[in-house]
Amino acid sequence: MALTFTVLGCGNSTGVPAAGNYWGKCNPDEPKNKRTRPSLLVQSNTTTIVIDTGPDFSLQATHHDINQIDAVLYTHSHGDHVHGIDDLKIYAKAKPDGILPAFTNHETILELKRRFYYLFEGGNESIYQPMLQTHALDDRYGQTVTIGDINFIPFEQTHGKVRSVGYRFGDFAYSTDMKHLNAQSIEILRGVKTWIVDSAGYHQENNPVHASLKEIYALNEHVQAQNVYLTSLSLAMDYETMISELPEGYLPLYDGKTFTA
Ligand SMILES: [Zn+2]
């Protein structure tokens, strides 16, 4: 089953430009430097999955004419990955039971339910109906999970004190927001052809939560991905500058890029 992947956003927590039209080191004249918060759309002929719903999700869904979502996968609960969660409402309402399945790890489920309790239990006001049903992935790392006709294998990532979830779909994998991978996760990723990976550490080896370029090169000695695309791109990461400094097989991502796998 061929899948299409669309990068809805590849910025880090601020996006580029940051609020107030601040571009940092990024050239405002380069369209590929305009980055919304991180999200990935995964589509087969019949099934649509979105990974993360950040603050830009409504604009991303409108820009890409997303008229159906069958499930949402969350990587972790940081604001830039979840704060558009309310905008799933229109997609939940289209389901026969008004409920969308949401897959992630246990710690993310706890945090989502704490912050957005009204989306899971309904609220005091009748306008809030429960619209999300959570499914924990912790016990399913390394196993195939199926939604409609899309299969994926979840794996654990270390993102500072947070544990995030990475996702492999056949020859394609998505590892946003991570610093380290354990041996099991590297094994799950091994041999993937295309790997989208967090690089917000960039040249900072001491970034506590995001992988640096050197750390990604070292990880890919084991993963052996042929094409590595860098995501979670910050205000310090200018597209053309990165193109000139990255080795063969490594490229910066940009919003709207699509892949088929
Ligand atoms: Zn994060």
Side-chain angles (χ1 to χ4, degrees):
M1 168 59 62
L3 298 178
T4 302
F5 303 87
T6 305
V7 177
L8 301 182
C10 66
N12 75 338
S13 60
T14 60
V16 182
N21 208 25
Y22 178 65
W23 290 79
K25 291 197 161 60
C26 297
N27 176 5
D29 295 328
E30 168 53 65
K32 288 175 176 160
N33 276 333
K34 193 166 177 15
R35 302 163 181 144
T36 56
R37 265 58 72 90
S39 181
L40 183 76
L41 190 72
V42 186
Q43 293 173 297
S44 69
N45 284 338
T46 62
T47 305
T48 299
I49 293 172
V50 68
I51 305 181
D52 290 335
T53 57
D56 300 315
F57 173 65
S58 178
L59 293 174
Q60 292 164 337
T62 301
H63 181 70
H64 290 278
D65 280 323
I66 302 171
N67 51 28
Q68 166 197 344
I69 290 178
D70 299 293
V72 55
L73 312 185
Y74 282 107
T75 58
H76 65 303
S77 66
H78 283 160
D80 51 328
H81 293 257
V82 306
H83 283 178
I85 193 170
D86 291 76
D87 293 313
L88 288 170
K89 189 186 292 182
I90 191 118
Y91 302 104
K93 273 192 172 166
K95 298 291 160 201
D97 56 0
I99 301 284
L100 269 186
F103 294 77
T104 185
N105 60 14
H106 190 60
E107 72 177 61
T108 305
I109 289 172
L110 286 179
E111 183 59 18
L112 290 177
K113 287 188 171 177
R114 189 183 70 80
R115 243 185 278 164
F116 307 103
Y117 62 92
Y118 53 91
L119 300 179
F120 300 91
E121 309 162 1
N124 293 331
E125 300 146 75
S126 59
I127 55 165
Y128 288 119
Q129 300 296 322
M131 67 174 208
L132 291 173
Q133 172 75 50
T134 57
H135 301 269
L137 292 171
D138 308 59
D139 294 335
R140 301 168 83 174
Y141 292 147
Q143 298 174 25
T144 298
V145 179
T146 302
I147 298 169
D149 59 358
I150 297 179
N151 294 326
F152 65 89
I153 301 173
F155 54 92
E156 184 174 77
Q157 307 178 137
T158 303
H159 177 38
K161 290 181 179 163
V162 166
R163 295 285 179 274
S164 61
V165 186
Y167 297 96
R168 177 170 181 163
F169 301 81
D171 284 335
F172 178 99
Y174 187 64
S175 284
T176 195
D177 285 47
M178 66 101 202
K179 173 81 173 173
H180 294 301
L181 296 172
N182 64 27
Q184 185 204 21
S185 298
I186 288 173
E187 205 49 49
I188 291 166
L189 275 169
R190 197 186 296 275
V192 76
K193 283 191 183 141
T194 301
W195 186 27
I196 293 181
V197 59
D198 173 12
S199 64
Y202 199 26
H203 294 303
Q204 293 178 296
E205 298 307 307
N206 58 354
N207 187 305
V209 293
H210 294 288
S212 67
L213 293 180
K214 274 191 187 163
E215 287 165 327
I216 292 165
Y217 301 154
L219 279 171
N220 201 38
E221 290 289 314
H222 305 287
V223 172
Q224 297 273 308
Q226 294 166 15
N227 304 300
V228 177
Y229 286 88
L230 306 173
T231 193
S232 196
L233 303 173
S234 74
L235 292 159
M237 301 167 86
D238 175 68
Y239 187 83
E240 280 300 328
T241 306
M242 292 185 78
I243 291 282
S244 68
E245 67 187 355
L246 289 171
E248 194 181 340
Y250 292 77
L251 286 169
L253 209 50
Y254 54 89
D255 283 23
K257 167 108 180 125
T258 60
F259 301 86
T260 307

